[in-house]
Amino acid sequence: MEAIMDKPKPLPSETTEIEQQNPERGRGPCHLSMTTCDETLLFLLPCLHTACKPCIDQTAQERSSVLHCPCGQAFDLEKISPDHVRRNEAAYVASNVGEKKCGFLSGDHDDPAKVYCHDCHGYLCSKCFTLHNTIRCNSKHRIRNMNSTEDLPIENWLGESFCTDHSDTEVQLYDHSCGKPICVVCLYGAHKNHRKDDLKCLYDETRTMLGDHLEKQKLKLKDIKEKMKTVTSDCNMLTETRDKREAEALSVYESVAERLQRRHTHLLQEITENLKDPLSTVQENTKQLQSAEASLESTIDYTERALRSSRQEELIALSDTLQWKMGENLKSSEISYVGIPPPNFQLYFQGKKALEELIDTFGTQVTCLADTSLTDSQATIGDLQMKRNMQSEEITELRGMLKAKDELISLQEQRWNKVKTIVAPDRIYTIGSTNFRLFICPSLYLNDARTNTNKCHVTKGAELVNSPRASGHGRRLRLNKFNGICISKPFPIPPIQTPFQSITQYWETCSNVGVGRGDWSKPILEMGLAESGKVDSESWLCHQLRSWCVGVRSCDRHRGKICTRVHKEWEDGNCWVRTMSDTTGNQATLHYGIVLDVKRKRLAFIDLDREVVLAKFDVEFREALFPVLSVLPESDFYSVRMKLVSGEDITMTEKKKSLIYQALL
């Protein structure tokens, strides 16, 4: 190999044309010349293109810097090697064109070939084949029968290699120092101290390694083709979008003739400019992907041919170049492209009716998130007049609404003033931010005259205790069956005569409960409402019709655990477990609240300890409502002391207001 000369001037870089990205198209075997060169002198360039030795030498003399293949890849003379693949393919084609003739004997002998000898590397007619077999050393030659016009596969045509120094000995080793195959005789000559490997083993390793790289190249080519599909789709989509928008613009501008022509031209430029960047991106990716595709296809093609059309030592000699090119392919094909979103603009022609006045600025692009149609909404004189009339009607309607609101406010103020004459202002509260409501905490009391004194009594401290009174009480109003007491007077139902009774009302109870022997079967305490005709009909509120209450009991559902439960006319609600411990001797203080709005027919119960609305009911009340309390009469099972909390005794908090507001929703 001749020494590398001064670096020639670089050749022009690759153009974007596909034909120039793949120089093999339209060229002969030699890429440095458009003429037919000697195919026995072909050398492989790093880019896997080929050039003959005379053209390489001539190019090296003409240029003073690094040599370039027409594809743009730079190379130097030290990194090129004989192109065994193309040399073998050229020789194979030359020897297999047309009818096969016998070449066993020299001279004028051209009988049709009948067999091919792999060891003699030649075609034989039937007569020469007989002569060939008369020689004893030829008896073990490998013979293949064939028709005279049959092409011999190139793998079989290549045959075995013989040592260049000992022509009658097949090569068995590969000398890495000399870069060529040798026979066993060469081990004792000039190649004695060189690094050597078994040729067959080295060939198998090289073939396996190149096969693995080949699979990676194929996978990368598949990925490139998929990306090419996306790029092509995006390019078509952008082109179709551009054509569609331009057609829309053309249709509108033609309808207003010459006066729109100047604006028409300007708008087309805006459309093109808007799509310029994404189109440029797509085209740039197209260029890169096409280049990578061409390089990968060329490499794959040549590598497959090398595996098929080269001898063992030739494939080993080619492996470095092939690996380098494959590595370059993997680097250059790392192209990230995930597509681009569809163009998010449409043409919007607003004000077509007023076009004579808007011609200088008519037509623009608007960004949109969906492919929706846009209509001309430019107001005309008639549109403006209609809009003015509609606004006048809206103003009139708003004035009517304001008047009605003022009347409502006046009515609310009158109602508020009436309430303030009955209830102290500090016991009137508002809840809600927009649709605010009023509620009051009325002053209530335990009506000792309406008590079942055989079961319970009211102490001097106004507490209901679950033990009988020491001395009797008048029997005229006393309860006989119900285990409890009525609170104050009953609340009347609509029609309500006083503002006090038409506002939401709220009161509480505070109960101290002590655990004695315990009982699974009966309530411990209850608080609620009962219609006046049902107050003394049963022992417990939970068993009475037209009664509603929240109760605490030793629960039969939860094996005697003390639970809270809401009752509605014999119907049991859900249990709220762990109200208090059922351990003997344990004590707890329990707090519950009632929200009543007779006018809106709403009743609700609140657990103040849990800070939750237990239940709320919409009820059609039929009779006046009595607030009532009841307790378990057997004090040795549980001791109960219930205190009514109402009026100014209630400590109102924002949390309580929030719970009351929830109860009214």
Side-chain angles (χ1 to χ4, degrees), residues 49 76 135 142 173 284 304 333 399 446 525 586 616:
H49 294 146
D76 57 53
I135 303 174
R142 293 168 297 157
L173 303 172
E284 181 64 25
E304 290 177 338
S333 61
R399 286 174 178 171
L446 298 179
L525 62 87
N586 183 60
K616 50 187 177 181

Side-chain angles (χ1 to χ4, degrees), residues 515-559:
V515 181
R517 292 186 297 164
D519 189 342
W520 285 24
S521 59
K522 299 177 182 179
I524 300 172
L525 62 87
E526 295 175 322
M527 67 171 295
L529 289 164
E531 291 187 347
S532 57
K534 303 294 182 181
V535 169
D536 203 21
S537 61
E538 297 289 345
S539 299
W540 300 100
L541 276 176
C542 61
H543 296 160
Q544 290 183 173
L545 296 175
R546 309 302 297 167
S547 300
W548 304 265
C549 70
V550 56
V552 177
R553 65 188 301 153
S554 181
C555 184
D556 51 355
R557 299 180 187 174
H558 298 97
R559 302 182 61 82

Side-chain angles (χ1 to χ4, degrees), residues 106-119:
S106 59
D108 187 13
H109 181 69
D110 57 355
D111 290 348
K114 298 298 182 181
V115 298
Y116 180 83
C117 180
H118 291 282
D119 297 282

Side-chain angles (χ1 to χ4, degrees), residues 29-43:
C30 179
H31 276 65
L32 297 181
S33 173
M34 295 300 294
T35 61
T36 302
C37 299
D38 188 354
E39 295 180 339
T40 63
L41 299 177
L42 294 177
F43 278 79

Side-chain angles (χ1 to χ4, degrees), residues 455-593:
K455 303 294 179 67
C456 58
H457 73 278
V458 179
T459 66
K460 293 182 179 180
E463 291 181 327
L464 181 66
V465 180
N466 62 335
S467 61
R469 182 185 296 275
S471 59
H473 193 276
R475 300 184 57 84
R476 187 171 61 87
L477 299 176
R478 187 170 67 83
L479 302 178
N480 296 314
K481 196 171 185 179
F482 182 62
N483 298 326
I485 187 172
C486 294
I487 300 174
S488 303
K489 297 180 180 180
F491 298 132
I493 61 173
I496 299 172
Q497 304 299 324
T498 66
F500 173 81
Q501 296 160 343
S502 64
I503 297 178
T504 301
Q505 302 180 67
Y506 172 77
W507 65 93
E508 304 173 357
T509 61
C510 175
S511 305
N512 183 273
V513 180
V515 181
R517 292 186 297 164
D519 189 342
W520 285 24
S521 59
K522 299 177 182 179
I524 300 172
L525 62 87
E526 295 175 322
M527 67 171 295
L529 289 164
E531 291 187 347
S532 57
K534 303 294 182 181
V535 169
D536 203 21
S537 61
E538 297 289 345
S539 299
W540 300 100
L541 276 176
C542 61
H543 296 160
Q544 290 183 173
L545 296 175
R546 309 302 297 167
S547 300
W548 304 265
C549 70
V550 56
V552 177
R553 65 188 301 153
S554 181
C555 184
D556 51 355
R557 299 180 187 174
H558 298 97
R559 302 182 61 82
K561 300 294 182 183
I562 298 178
C563 301
T564 299
R565 191 185 302 175
V566 177
H567 301 272
K568 175 188 175 184
E569 296 190 87
W570 273 94
E571 295 181 8
D572 291 344
N574 295 329
C575 281
W576 296 73
V577 297
R578 299 185 180 89
T579 298
M580 63 177 289
S581 172
D582 60 347
T583 304
T584 301
N586 183 60
Q587 290 192 357
T589 302
L590 310 177
H591 302 82
Y592 298 96

Side-chain angles (χ1 to χ4, degrees), residues 10-23:
L11 294 174
S13 60
E14 301 179 70
T15 64
T16 58
E17 297 295 333
I18 299 177
E19 290 79 11
Q20 294 181 358
Q21 291 176 354
N22 192 354

